Amino acid sequence: MTATPDPHSQPDFYKDVPFKRLIAWGIDAVLTFLACLVILPFTAFTGIFFFPLLFLIVGFVYRMITLANGSATWGMRLFAIELRQADGTRLDAGGAFAHTFGYTVSWAFFPLQLISIVLMAVTERGQGLSDHVLGTVMVNRRASYR
């Protein structure tokens, strides 16, 4: 396959993806929080004073590494969804970094995140703001075109 699937002729690729994406995001947030709790003693508990920054850094690294090594975070894998680039291939390290950076910027400026959420809910491919900029798309892995 050389491009992302068409939502009209191949709707199984996009079925329930926005909902799965939301639940996967929640799982990833919990995993990031737990990782931060594990790291906290190694900072002599001074990490409590900069916990939001610690959460941001751990979340960035977690998201980038998991996306680069399978095109999906652990939460996404649990719900059998994955990100694909505009040409239909899985994310590489550069694509994972770019997507994670865009996601982080969206969270830093809440109006951007709000726009992203609305786009995921109303567009036919369920793409967020970062997806639109990068040309990526979230699809169901079971329907995937391996």
Side-chain angles (χ1 to χ4, degrees):
M1 190 76 163
T2 58
T4 58
D6 178 57
H8 300 292
S9 63
Q10 299 171 303
D12 287 345
F13 280 97
Y14 303 101
K15 184 177 176 159
D16 301 323
V17 167
F19 177 72
K20 290 178 180 181
R21 201 171 184 170
L22 174 65
I23 303 302
W25 173 85
I27 289 170
D28 291 331
V30 168
L31 290 173
T32 301
F33 181 77
L34 293 173
C36 289
L37 290 180
V38 169
I39 292 168
L40 206 53
F42 296 101
T43 68
F45 294 98
T46 59
I48 292 171
F49 300 109
F50 55 90
F51 198 81
L53 180 61
L54 179 64
F55 189 88
L56 176 79
I57 292 168
V58 170
F60 192 97
V61 171
Y62 161 76
R63 187 172 183 81
M64 190 180 75
I65 289 172
T66 56
L67 288 177
N69 292 312
S71 215
T73 64
W74 291 343
M76 293 173 193
R77 292 173 195 182
L78 184 63
F79 287 93
I81 55 176
E82 65 185 9
L83 279 166
R84 293 293 181 129
Q85 297 184 99
D87 63 0
T89 60
R90 291 181 172 192
L91 293 180
D92 56 10
F97 176 82
H99 199 277
T100 302
F101 182 77
Y103 167 81
T104 303
V105 169
S106 290
W107 273 105
F109 301 98
F110 187 71
L112 295 178
Q113 186 61 21
L114 191 57
I115 291 167
S116 190
I117 291 167
V118 169
L119 286 172
M120 281 186 250
V122 301
T123 59
E124 60 185 4
R125 294 178 194 263
Q127 294 171 290
L129 188 57
S130 296
D131 297 321
H132 280 281
V133 171
L134 298 171
T136 56
V137 65
M138 185 76 71
V139 294
N140 282 308
R141 189 176 36 197
R142 290 192 182 109
S144 191
Y145 39 93
R146 296 178 198 267

